[in-house]
Amino acid sequence: MTPTPLPVSTPGSAPGSTPDDVAPIRLGTRASALATTQSGLVAKRLEELTGRPVELVHIRTEGDVKTGSLASLGGTGVFVTALREALLDGRCDVAVHSLKDLPTTPAPHLTFVTPERADPRDALCARDGLTLATLPRGGRVGTGSPRRAAQIRAARPDLEVVDIRGNVGTRLNRALGPEADLDAVVLAYAGLARLGRTEVVTEALDVDVVTPAPGQGALAVEVRTADIVSDPSTGSGHSLAEAIHLLDHRPTRLAVLAERSVLARLEAGCAAPVGAYATVSGSVLRLRSVVAAVDGTEQMSRGGETRLSPDIAPEVIDDAARALGISVAEHLLADGAERLAPLSTTVPEKA
């Protein structure tokens, strides 16, 4: 099923009474169906907030051009670097990423915010309505993610996990198409939901069985830092700077800060067999992280929580979230996480 494109304005077609000479906001995105759908959601919200038209600028990334397994591409920025270059050289004003693709090291001169997160779980898409528990012995499950592969092997060591690549449709066809050669594939639930494809999900995998990638389900809306410090208001809506700040969802920001701090302390890339999942409930931030052996024969987990006082400055609360992630990572390292996993892995995983 092809998703219905979201309405995205072109110059001069902004909603309401915005003048034709108002410059459009140029939003950089990868050209895949999932990327443009995600970017379309952000574009629509920016139009609502600013009263300005938004046009999508397609940017080809290294991950779109090269073939082969993700592990062979060798770089966390494989889906990110070209978009960031387009921001810095002025070809676009905003870029949208899947947050789990972003390196944990801050990019100079760039800032990102996190809209409200979608469902972070992984989704099993299997033939005949099968679940992880009911897949036959020796069943073949496809994924391009070492994290997913390791945790699936840990839960079902009798399954064969097959490395796959391709866009969402290509991967789904490996299990559900007329020439399927797999029993199931695993993808991010959030991506399928954004594409309107949740009917293919036979099981949303419990986070205690397959812990998500840090930042999974969240988007990163990235801009030049200077633009959100000194952006003047244009037209009748908010300025771009104000709109970007309004896009930021505080509970999502705190959760992903904690999760990404685990990765940063472990010095692990987005595709290392590391899962992390944090939630905010009232004033309490809770985090659980898992490190698994690639072959699934062993895994360890650690968790923690911290109380977030609403009376302290936002930057102090952010620091508390980072500190929680670092603490959980330190406990994993003390337990021997480096023995289990190649924590220097720096390759991103696909949606």
Side-chain angles (χ1 to χ4, degrees), residues 34-124:
L34 177 57
T36 54
T37 298
Q38 292 177 160
S39 296
L41 293 169
V42 175
K44 182 177 180 181
R45 185 63 180 138
L46 285 174
E47 287 188 332
E48 293 169 350
L49 289 170
T50 65
R52 293 171 60 185
V54 177
E55 60 181 20
L56 299 189
V57 179
H58 290 171
I59 305 294
R60 295 186 75 191
T61 71
E62 185 180 6
D64 300 313
V65 175
K66 291 188 175 181
T67 59
S69 70
L70 290 177
S72 70
L73 297 184
T76 305
V78 68
F79 297 115
V80 173
T81 301
L83 282 165
R84 286 181 159 174
E85 289 173 350
L87 266 179
L88 292 170
D89 67 20
R91 282 176 287 151
C92 60
D93 308 301
V94 181
V96 176
H97 315 275
S98 291
L99 179 57
K100 66 182 181 180
D101 288 343
L102 288 189
T104 55
T105 303
H109 312 300
L110 297 176
T111 299
F112 70 85
V113 296
T114 50
E116 185 171 2
R117 184 184 213 169
D119 192 326
R121 291 176 296 176
D122 288 302
L124 185 79

Side-chain angles (χ1 to χ4, degrees), residues 242-265:
E242 292 169 328
I244 292 297
H245 287 301
L246 288 170
L247 284 176
D248 200 41
H249 183 249
R250 178 177 177 273
T252 296
R253 184 183 76 247
L254 295 173
V256 300
L257 271 174
E259 294 167 9
R260 286 166 55 81
S261 293
V262 173
L263 270 190
R265 178 61 190 90

Side-chain angles (χ1 to χ4, degrees), residues 18-35:
T18 306
D20 288 347
D21 60 355
V22 172
I25 298 169
R26 297 162 301 163
L27 190 153
T29 178
R30 295 172 59 206
S32 72
L34 177 57

Side-chain angles (χ1 to χ4, degrees), residues 28-322:
T29 178
R30 295 172 59 206
S32 72
L34 177 57
T36 54
T37 298
Q38 292 177 160
S39 296
L41 293 169
V42 175
K44 182 177 180 181
R45 185 63 180 138
L46 285 174
E47 287 188 332
E48 293 169 350
L49 289 170
T50 65
R52 293 171 60 185
V54 177
E55 60 181 20
L56 299 189
V57 179
H58 290 171
I59 305 294
R60 295 186 75 191
T61 71
E62 185 180 6
D64 300 313
V65 175
K66 291 188 175 181
T67 59
S69 70
L70 290 177
S72 70
L73 297 184
T76 305
V78 68
F79 297 115
V80 173
T81 301
L83 282 165
R84 286 181 159 174
E85 289 173 350
L87 266 179
L88 292 170
D89 67 20
R91 282 176 287 151
C92 60
D93 308 301
V94 181
V96 176
H97 315 275
S98 291
L99 179 57
K100 66 182 181 180
D101 288 343
L102 288 189
T104 55
T105 303
H109 312 300
L110 297 176
T111 299
F112 70 85
V113 296
T114 50
E116 185 171 2
R117 184 184 213 169
D119 192 326
R121 291 176 296 176
D122 288 302
L124 185 79
C125 306
R127 63 174 176 83
D128 305 324
L130 294 169
T131 65
L132 186 60
T134 60
L135 282 166
R137 291 183 62 84
R140 304 178 78 231
V141 179
T143 176
S145 159
R147 172 192 59 83
R148 290 172 181 148
Q151 294 186 83
I152 290 168
R153 289 183 179 118
R156 286 287 310 271
D158 57 303
L159 296 176
E160 179 187 355
V161 180
V162 179
D163 183 65
I164 61 173
R165 274 209 73 184
N167 61 32
V168 170
T170 298
R171 284 179 284 160
L172 285 173
N173 283 337
R174 294 288 299 273
L176 306 178
E179 299 181 1
D181 62 330
L182 302 173
D183 295 288
V185 293
V186 183
L187 299 90
Y189 190 97
L192 292 169
R194 289 171 180 140
L195 288 170
R197 296 299 312 272
T198 54
E199 83 285 352
V200 300
V201 178
T202 56
E203 183 181 12
L205 297 170
D206 190 281
V207 295
D208 292 329
V209 177
V210 180
T211 305
Q216 184 158 302
L219 300 178
V221 181
E222 194 163 43
V223 294
R224 293 178 291 270
T225 303
D227 288 353
I228 60 172
V229 172
S230 58
D231 173 41
S233 183
T234 303
S236 59
H238 294 283
S239 70
L240 178 59
E242 292 169 328
I244 292 297
H245 287 301
L246 288 170
L247 284 176
D248 200 41
H249 183 249
R250 178 177 177 273
T252 296
R253 184 183 76 247
L254 295 173
V256 300
L257 271 174
E259 294 167 9
R260 286 166 55 81
S261 293
V262 173
L263 270 190
R265 178 61 190 90
L266 293 178
E267 299 184 357
C270 301
V274 175
Y277 178 52
T279 58
V280 176
S281 178
S283 62
V284 178
L285 173 64
R286 294 184 176 87
L287 170 68
R288 176 177 173 270
S289 182
V290 172
V291 177
V294 174
D295 62 6
T297 55
E298 188 178 352
Q299 59 182 1
M300 59 181 61
S301 67
R302 277 284 189 166
E305 64 180 51
T306 189
R307 189 164 295 278
L308 306 168
S309 171
D311 301 324
I312 59 178
E315 59 269 21
V316 177
I317 296 178
D318 288 356
D319 287 343
R322 292 188 187 95

